[in-house]
């Protein structure tokens, strides 16, 4: 049972850090049912129910150690050098330098740099009931993930799970451990379509400019948010991603969101570093709706109800 032993050590090292009472951005346990039953018993505790962040896939299933806190732990500061070859291949995991103590980042779309919202965007944001952030209320969340709907860019790019890049002629493929999604980025020189059908992942084209791979995506649906805090994504969202390989084991990613319907100017987040993990393999992880509903009734919704008075 090699896979069981592989996952066991990582569960102990990664999920334990998320159950800290007092975290400034509490998250619900919404997707815990997707974790194999043999691991759930050790994860559920009163503090975990209140402030856990296990709404995601079991990130550790594919890893042999927890992500480093910052780039300096494993990679020296890159020195100016000639651009690396145009090769982004490999399994990549973001550094654990996010806003929530102990979590693996989740700030590739950085809310601290969000521009002011339009009146329409503000109304949509105010109506959202997110899984995390200051607006989150346990048991009242309304995230598409609770319905086992797929995550798409840019949200899937910032969740604390690894993803893999594979390059083939005319395309770059991204495989996500999150719900086992995969994404096509066309690199054969085609332009963005003028009127694409709305979809979860959108329509993506990529090109190289020097040592930077630039991905542009349009054609999104409006069924999910750009992040976990309820910031809207619509059919008019134009997403730009910039990837640059700083050295053999470090990938820089920057996410830029443009949507005049929602944001008064482009939302430009600072670059985010990812570490290459040559020993990792992406685990199989799917959201199972029946298990999700059972967990809603047994844990998530009761977590938002105040305990009965002892008087």
């Amino acid at each position: 049972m090699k896979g069981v032993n592989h996952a066991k050590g990582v569960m102990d090292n990664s999920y334990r850090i998320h159950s800290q009472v007092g975290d400034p951005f509490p998250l619900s346990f919404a997707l815990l049912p997707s974790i194999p039953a043999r691991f759930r018993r050790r994860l559920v505790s009163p503090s975990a129910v209140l402030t856990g962040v296990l709404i995601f896939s079991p990130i550790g299933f594919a890893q042999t150690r927890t992500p480093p806190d910052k780039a300096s732990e494993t990679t020296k500061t890159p020195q100016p050098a000639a651009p690396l070859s145009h090769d982004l291949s490999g399994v990549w995991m973001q550094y654990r330098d996010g806003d929530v103590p102990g979590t693996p980042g989740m700030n590739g779309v950085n809310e601290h740099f969000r521009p002011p919202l339009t009146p329409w965007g503000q109304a949509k944001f105010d109506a959202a009931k997110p899984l995390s952030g200051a607006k989150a209320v346990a048991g009242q969340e309304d995230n598409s993930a609770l319905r086992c709907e797929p995550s798409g860019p840019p949200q899937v790019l910032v969740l604390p799970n690894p993803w893999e890049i594979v390059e083939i002629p005319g395309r770059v493929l991204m495989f996500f451990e999150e719900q086992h999604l995969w994404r096509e980025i066309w690199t054969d020189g085609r332009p963005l379509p003028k009127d694409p059908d709305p979809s979860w992942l959108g329509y993506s084209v990529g090109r190289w400019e020097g040592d930077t791979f630039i991905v542009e995506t349009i054609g999104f649906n409006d069924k999910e948010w750009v992040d976990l805090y309820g910031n809207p994504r619509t059919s008019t969202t134009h997403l730009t991603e910039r990837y640059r390989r700083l050295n053999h084991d470090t990938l820089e990613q920057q996410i830029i969101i443009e949507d005049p319907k929602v944001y008064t100017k482009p939302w430009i987040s600072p670059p985010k570093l990812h570490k290459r993990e040559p020993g990792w393999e992406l685990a199989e992880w799917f959201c199972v709706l029946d298990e999700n509903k059972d967990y809603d009734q047994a844990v998530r919704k009761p977590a938002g109800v105040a305990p009965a008075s002892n008087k």
Side-chain angles (χ1 to χ4, degrees):
M1 297 294 289
K2 181 179 178 182
V4 174
N5 293 332
H6 188 214
K8 179 178 181 297
V10 178
M11 293 292 293
D12 291 338
N13 290 331
S14 60
Y15 283 111
R16 182 175 52 207
I17 62 176
H18 298 319
S19 300
Q20 301 178 0
V21 175
D23 282 352
F25 298 99
L27 304 175
S28 89
F29 269 66
L31 298 188
L32 186 59
S34 298
I35 299 172
R38 61 182 177 274
F39 296 126
R40 291 181 209 152
R41 188 174 298 109
R42 81 183 64 177
L43 298 176
V44 178
S45 66
S47 62
V49 169
L50 291 174
T51 61
V53 295
L54 299 186
I55 62 170
F56 311 107
S57 70
I59 62 173
F61 281 25
Q63 50 194 84
T64 56
R65 60 186 181 278
T66 55
D69 289 329
K70 52 185 179 296
S72 60
E73 292 188 3
T74 56
T75 308
K76 294 182 179 179
T77 302
Q79 299 299 319
L84 296 173
S85 62
H86 291 179
D87 181 11
L88 306 179
S89 301
V91 176
W92 301 95
M93 182 65 188
Q94 60 180 296
Y95 284 102
R96 200 171 59 202
D97 58 353
D99 299 324
V100 184
T103 64
M106 294 189 290
N107 59 343
V109 175
N110 196 315
E111 195 176 45
H112 298 303
F113 290 81
R114 189 196 72 185
L117 298 168
T118 65
W120 185 91
Q122 187 68 55
K124 294 289 287 186
F125 177 76
D126 291 342
K129 298 178 180 179
L131 289 164
S132 60
K135 294 172 54 183
V137 177
Q140 298 183 22
E141 306 94 330
D142 184 26
N143 188 292
S144 61
L146 299 179
R147 300 182 290 275
C148 284
E149 295 173 349
S151 297
Q155 186 182 124
V156 72
L157 297 168
V158 303
L159 296 179
N161 308 297
W163 34 262
E164 182 173 10
I165 294 178
V166 176
E167 299 185 32
I168 62 175
R171 284 181 293 173
V172 169
L173 306 177
M174 295 187 75
F175 296 92
F176 299 90
E177 187 172 88
E178 173 78 18
Q179 298 189 34
H180 234 53
L181 296 170
W182 69 280
R183 175 194 189 196
E184 283 182 316
I185 302 170
W186 293 96
T187 58
D188 56 2
R190 70 181 64 187
L192 286 168
K194 294 186 180 298
D195 188 23
D197 293 330
S199 64
W200 294 98
L201 299 176
Y203 193 100
S204 302
V205 300
R207 68 186 187 277
W208 285 96
E209 290 187 1
D211 62 348
T212 303
F213 184 59
I214 300 175
V215 182
E216 293 187 76
T217 306
I218 61 172
F220 295 112
N221 63 31
D222 59 358
K223 296 181 180 180
E224 71 166 26
W225 308 318
V226 301
D227 56 13
L228 297 174
Y229 305 129
N231 288 295
R233 188 190 78 174
T234 75
S235 60
T236 57
T237 296
H238 186 130
L239 173 67
T240 301
E241 303 151 59
R242 300 176 61 89
Y243 295 91
R244 190 162 63 101
R245 195 164 182 173
L246 302 184
N247 55 45
H248 185 266
D249 292 325
T250 309
L251 180 68
E252 179 187 82
Q253 174 201 62
Q254 185 175 30
I255 294 175
I256 302 169
I257 300 168
E258 297 175 85
D259 192 338
K261 186 176 181 179
V262 181
Y263 309 104
T264 55
K265 60 182 180 178
W267 182 350
I268 304 174
S269 294
K272 174 76 178 176
L273 296 184
H274 293 69
K275 182 180 181 297
R276 181 174 175 268
E277 297 290 354
W280 290 14
E281 296 178 358
L282 300 187
E284 179 181 284
W285 180 74
F286 297 99
C287 183
V288 181
L289 188 57
D290 287 343
E291 292 184 0
N292 222 25
K293 290 179 179 178
D294 290 344
Y295 192 78
D296 270 2
Q297 299 303 319
V299 178
R300 189 180 66 84
K301 291 182 178 179
V305 178
S309 173
N310 292 327
K311 295 181 180 180

